């Protein structure tokens, strides 16, 4: 009977950790997408200095999410986002709007993958 | 490198705790579900140990999930014999009264060579000696010999049975074994009295065994050198 209780507790722990992982990935991806939209808008209006400040803020914010996300997501996936985020403020500082837009698009795509990676979707299961 | 080292230690402790939680069944003769779980756990644990790019949790979650499923499965198997039969199957008689049951053997894909090897391992050298041979759900072969082929027992010979006497370790490498002492119904004072007579103390003892009848064997450390 003790083992059955242990199994119940373990199941609860498993479900909670899976739910937490899913929520964290969803939140991280949503916040990143919002920040990217704002950066893209600033680039479109030609306000590259505002876009630079926002991209640096996003890089700092990402460092916090990374610490949590690396607990359950492949480190390779997260490192690709790290690399793109490191390049974005530099492109904006150099006024390379085209490269910055391309990097934003890449980051948007990666954040979508991040959101989907922990979702219980048929594509992920199969 | 150091990440792999720490992860290996963590996974070792988790798997050890998991096997302990799954109980003694898991480390004895394996049933189908237990075999699957044991194989999968060993395989899954290897991935985060070697690949530091994978989070440790990605290995821990499936391991804990398998342990949990196994615990639930064993609980349901205990509660429902139908469920147990569904998962583990039923024992199959392949020899009855010295006669082979070829149909059952074919269904189990057991060759005559395999069968006779098993029989020899169990000290049976003639098919006619066997009353029943049963393939158990864990794959082992149980053999029941014909009564006239069994060695006589004390009961058959109408001999007076005395209490079974067996030795238990009561002192090992200078320390008392409470389990051994209670097993043979003795206490520390009894052992210390013997040691006093032998002019030795507990620390001098390499091994001391005793049976409920009070017979003992004493090996001192100085005897070994």
């Amino acid at each position: 009977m003790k083992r059955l209780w242990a199994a119940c507790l373990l199941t609860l722990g498993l479900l909670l950790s899976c739910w937490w992982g899913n929520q964290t990935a969803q939140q991280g991806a949503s916040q990143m997408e919002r920040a990217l939209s704002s950066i893209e808008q600033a680039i479109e209006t030609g306000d590259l200095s505002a876009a630079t400040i926002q991209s640096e803020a996003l890089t700092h914010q990402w460092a916090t999410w990374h610490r949590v996300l690396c607990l359950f997501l492949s480190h390779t996936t997260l490192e690709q986002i790290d690399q793109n985020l490191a390049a974005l403020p530099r492109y904006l500082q150099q006024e390379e709007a085209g490269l910055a837009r391309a990097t934003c698009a890449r980051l948007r795509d990666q954040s979508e993958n991040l959101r989907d990676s922990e979702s219980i979707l048929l594509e992920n299961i199969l | 490198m150091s990440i792999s080292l720490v992860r290996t230690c963590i996974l070792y402790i988790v798997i050890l705790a998991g096997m302990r939680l799954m109980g003694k069944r898991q480390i004895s003769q394996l049933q189908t579900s237990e075999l699957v779980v044991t194989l999968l756990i060993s395989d899954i644990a290897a991935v985060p140990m070697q690949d530091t790019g994978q989070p440790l949790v990605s290995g821990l979650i499936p391991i804990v999930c398998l342990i949990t499923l196994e615990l639930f499965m064993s609980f349901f198997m205990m509660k429902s014999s139908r469920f147990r039969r569904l998962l583990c199957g039923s024992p199959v008689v392949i020899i009855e009264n010295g006669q082979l049951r070829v149909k059952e053997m074919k269904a189990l894909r057991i060759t005559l060579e395999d069968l006779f090897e098993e029989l020899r391992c169990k000290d049976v050298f003639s098919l006619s000696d066997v009353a029943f041979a049963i393939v158990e759900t864990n794959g082992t072969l149980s053999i029941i010999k014909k009564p006239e082929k069994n060695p006589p027992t004390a009961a058959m010979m109408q001999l007076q049975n005395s209490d079974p006497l067996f030795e238990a370790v009561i002192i090992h490498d200078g320390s008392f074994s409470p389990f051994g002492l209670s097993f043979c119904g003795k206490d520390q004072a009894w052992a210390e009295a013997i040691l006093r007579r032998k002019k030795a103390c507990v620390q001098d003892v390499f091994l001391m065994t005793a049976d409920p009848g009070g017979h003992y064997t004493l090996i001192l450390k100085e005897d070994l050198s």
Side-chain angles (χ1 to χ4, degrees):
Chain A
M1 214 53 190
K2 275 186 220 158
R3 287 202 165 99
L4 191 67
W5 280 112
C8 292
L9 279 175
L10 284 174
T11 309
L12 190 70
L14 279 174
L15 292 174
L16 278 175
S17 50
C18 289
W19 174 81
W20 177 70
N22 192 7
Q23 286 298 306
T24 315
Q26 298 272 351
Q27 277 173 12
S30 301
Q31 286 182 28
M32 183 185 269
E33 277 167 26
R34 272 200 299 276
L36 283 171
S37 297
S38 173
I39 293 167
E40 279 171 334
Q41 219 166 20
I43 295 170
E44 289 306 317
T45 54
D47 191 357
L48 291 183
S49 59
T52 310
I53 293 165
Q54 283 173 5
S55 68
E56 279 168 348
L58 178 62
T59 311
H60 285 300
Q61 182 65 55
W62 171 253
T64 319
W65 295 331
H66 189 153
R67 261 178 239 130
V68 182
L69 291 170
C70 70
L71 291 177
F72 50 89
L73 288 175
S74 163
H75 297 182
T76 320
T77 315
L78 300 177
E79 277 156 16
Q80 283 169 356
I81 300 177
D82 285 349
Q83 285 159 11
N84 283 325
L85 274 173
L88 185 60
R90 307 291 169 272
Y91 287 143
L92 291 165
Q93 278 164 359
Q94 299 298 315
E95 298 185 345
E96 298 276 8
L99 282 171
R101 258 191 239 108
T103 310
C104 280
R106 213 162 30 231
L107 280 166
R108 190 178 286 280
D109 190 50
Q110 283 167 338
S111 80
E112 274 169 19
N113 287 340
L114 194 71
R115 189 213 310 273
D116 293 344
S117 62
E118 281 296 302
S119 303
I120 305 172
L121 300 170
L122 199 62
E123 305 91 274
N124 286 346
I125 293 168
L126 301 175
Chain B
M1 290 283 271
S2 52
I3 303 289
S4 292
L5 182 80
V6 175
R7 282 183 170 199
T8 307
C9 294
I10 294 171
L11 283 164
Y12 174 73
I13 292 164
V14 169
I15 294 170
L16 211 63
M19 296 303 267
R20 187 76 186 84
L21 192 64
M22 284 190 282
K24 289 189 171 55
R25 277 168 57 90
Q26 201 69 23
I27 46 176
S28 60
Q29 297 291 336
L30 297 174
Q31 293 289 350
T32 320
S33 67
E34 293 154 358
L35 180 71
V36 169
V37 168
T38 311
L39 288 176
L40 280 175
I41 285 179
S42 58
D43 206 36
I44 291 167
V47 177
M49 259 186 217
Q50 293 166 333
D51 184 1
T52 49
Q54 287 295 322
L56 181 62
V57 176
S58 71
L60 286 178
I61 294 261
I63 289 172
V64 174
C65 184
L66 284 170
I67 291 169
T68 312
L69 283 174
E70 175 53 29
L71 285 171
F72 280 125
M73 286 291 180
S74 54
F75 175 75
F76 290 129
M77 280 198 280
M78 198 174 68
K79 289 284 167 195
S80 159
S81 58
R82 189 180 290 181
F83 185 70
R84 190 182 188 282
R85 269 202 308 279
L86 186 76
L87 232 67
C88 305
S90 308
V92 179
V93 177
I94 55 170
I95 302 173
E96 190 177 359
N97 205 17
Q99 298 292 310
L100 285 173
R101 286 186 166 192
V102 181
K103 199 175 147 195
E104 276 80 3
M105 281 179 65
K106 273 186 184 164
L108 292 170
R109 280 167 280 128
I110 295 176
T111 63
L112 280 171
E113 286 82 3
D114 293 338
L115 176 65
F116 276 89
E117 195 178 306
E118 282 282 340
L119 289 175
R120 284 195 299 275
C121 287
K122 306 232 158 130
D123 292 332
V124 177
F125 299 99
S126 169
L127 204 59
S128 59
D129 293 354
V130 181
F132 288 102
I134 305 159
V135 179
E136 304 294 354
T137 52
N138 58 17
T140 54
L141 185 71
S142 300
I143 292 161
I144 302 160
K145 283 189 199 171
K146 287 180 179 170
E148 65 270 22
K149 300 291 179 185
N150 270 322
T153 62
M156 283 172 180
M157 297 173 81
Q158 293 179 332
L159 291 172
Q160 196 77 40
N161 270 351
S162 57
D163 287 337
L165 295 177
F166 35 78
E167 288 190 340
V169 175
I170 58 169
I171 302 176
H172 177 250
D173 210 8
S175 54
F176 280 104
S177 160
F179 173 76
L181 282 167
S182 68
F183 203 71
C184 64
K186 304 292 175 198
D187 56 13
Q188 283 194 25
W190 177 82
E192 279 164 354
I194 292 170
L195 291 176
R196 268 197 301 276
R197 279 207 300 275
K198 298 276 178 189
K199 293 188 174 82
C201 62
V202 182
Q203 285 74 27
D204 301 334
V205 179
F206 176 69
L207 179 72
M208 185 174 179
T209 60
D211 65 25
H215 305 103
Y216 66 88
T217 307
L218 180 66
I219 303 171
L220 297 174
K221 286 177 185 170
E222 63 183 34
D223 298 339
L224 299 170
S225 55

